[in-house]
Amino acid sequence: SSFAFLFRVFRSFMSGQPPQLRVPLVAQPTQQAMPVGMVPAMGIAGPPPQMTMTAAMLHLAGMDKVEIQEKARLSEVVAQDLLGVGYEAANKYKVLDPRNPHQMVFFAHEKTGFCKRQCQNGCIKDCVGFELDMTYTARGSHEPFLHVKRHSSCTCCCLNRPVLEVTDSTTGQALGSIRNPFRCCNLVFNMRDLNEQDVLVAEGGCCQWGLLCPLPCGPCSEVRFPIRDAQTGAPVAEIQKKVPSCLKFMFASDVDNYKIEFGNVQNPQYKALVMAMALFIDFRYFNVSDEQQQN
């Protein structure tokens, strides 16, 4: 009561000590500022916890689709068509944003040695490894982005299946891996996280016209690889292999384009792995020209 309060003040005054008033404190909510470039965890729909976002990852996070265009190698065309010599040049790929097709966002260049490249189309092609470096080239930049590598291994049917390792070139940290398991009459690729757990699965089947009768027109010009969530089985994205044109098909039948619809995949690291998966598909099954198959 007010009388008790005044009595305490009077008693404190007489004793020479300042009164001690009990004032209720209101807790103010605090919010810790998140460092620049750090984002919360969101699984497939977002990046991992406390992941530092580089300029390349930030750009990729805002893209819902990309197109990978394989460049024709003039030296390979001349050696095979004019000289009749089997020669495998280093593969090169441009990664474009369909919303701005005149701007190259990424550029991938094969770094496999000369001798190893010449074995990619022989009888031991399943055993020969390869490696590529991908560079971020948007807005005039030239920054290392990804390093992908498949080690050479003794692969035969279901034994020792090939695995593609994907590493962030800026930080040197592994992003995940892609495995090509053995499936009868089916082209399957499993995308794995750092814990070796399957995250996404792409399947191409075996009954598509683009596999049975590849031509530069109609349904024979494309092969689709629907991508589904490994846990729920729900479709989340798609990779589409496309023959670029009749002219390239005549002179360089092993040159293809890949259209990637990221769909529900919003995590930029997983988007990078899906792009690496498209390159892995090309190296595994579509990197041999008609002339090399005949030889």
Side-chain angles (χ1 to χ4, degrees), residues 26-268:
V26 179
Q28 300 293 332
T30 59
Q31 182 177 4
Q32 296 182 351
M34 187 171 293
V36 177
M38 310 299 280
V39 289
M42 298 176 62
I44 291 181
Q50 304 300 308
M51 186 193 77
T52 302
M53 298 282 282
T54 62
M57 283 292 184
L58 285 172
H59 195 143
L60 185 58
M63 302 175 69
D64 57 357
K65 61 180 68 174
V66 297
E67 181 172 353
I68 301 177
Q69 296 183 354
E70 184 177 2
K71 298 185 65 176
R73 284 85 66 191
L74 181 59
S75 58
E76 189 173 306
V77 174
V78 171
Q80 294 179 4
D81 296 344
L82 299 182
L83 302 179
V85 178
Y87 170 69
E88 182 66 30
N91 291 344
K92 299 179 181 179
Y93 305 87
K94 297 188 299 181
V95 182
L96 309 177
D97 186 347
R99 297 173 299 182
N100 187 11
H102 300 291
Q103 181 187 39
M104 182 172 61
V105 182
F106 302 101
F107 180 74
H109 182 267
E110 184 180 6
K111 295 296 184 180
T112 313
F114 175 83
C115 295
K116 188 179 292 186
R117 287 203 315 268
Q118 309 318 309
C119 299
Q120 290 177 350
N121 297 315
C123 59
I124 60 172
K125 62 180 182 180
D126 285 345
C127 304
V128 179
F130 64 89
E131 57 183 316
L132 295 96
D133 283 333
M134 184 176 291
T135 306
Y136 177 61
T137 59
R139 305 183 184 95
S141 60
H142 189 81
E143 303 174 6
F145 178 47
L146 295 179
H147 178 74
V148 299
K149 183 174 183 178
R150 183 236 159 157
H151 294 276
S152 298
S153 59
C154 184
T155 300
C156 181
C157 295
C158 60
L159 301 176
N160 207 14
R161 298 299 297 174
V163 177
L164 184 72
E165 299 174 354
V166 184
T167 306
D168 189 323
S169 298
T170 303
T171 62
Q173 298 179 349
L175 299 182
S177 62
I178 302 166
R179 187 172 182 269
N180 177 212
F182 178 79
R183 295 291 186 273
C184 184
C185 301
N186 196 2
L187 307 181
V188 180
F189 292 84
N190 296 339
M191 193 183 88
R192 295 181 167 182
D193 58 17
L194 296 178
N195 298 322
E196 295 296 323
Q197 299 296 321
D198 289 345
V199 179
L200 301 176
V201 179
E203 296 188 37
C206 64
C207 297
Q208 301 191 53
W209 285 108
L211 294 172
L212 302 175
C213 182
L215 292 172
C217 56
C220 297
S221 64
E222 62 183 33
V223 179
R224 295 181 180 272
F225 290 84
I227 302 176
R228 57 180 173 83
D229 190 302
Q231 304 300 324
T232 65
V236 294
E238 184 181 68
I239 297 175
Q240 179 191 25
K241 168 196 170 290
K242 184 78 174 178
V243 176
S245 64
C246 293
L247 184 62
K248 285 188 176 181
F249 182 78
M250 291 175 58
F251 293 98
S253 58
D254 60 336
V255 173
D256 299 293
N257 293 347
Y258 293 85
K259 297 181 179 180
I260 301 177
E261 295 277 354
F262 290 120
N264 295 332
V265 179
Q266 300 301 319
N267 185 325

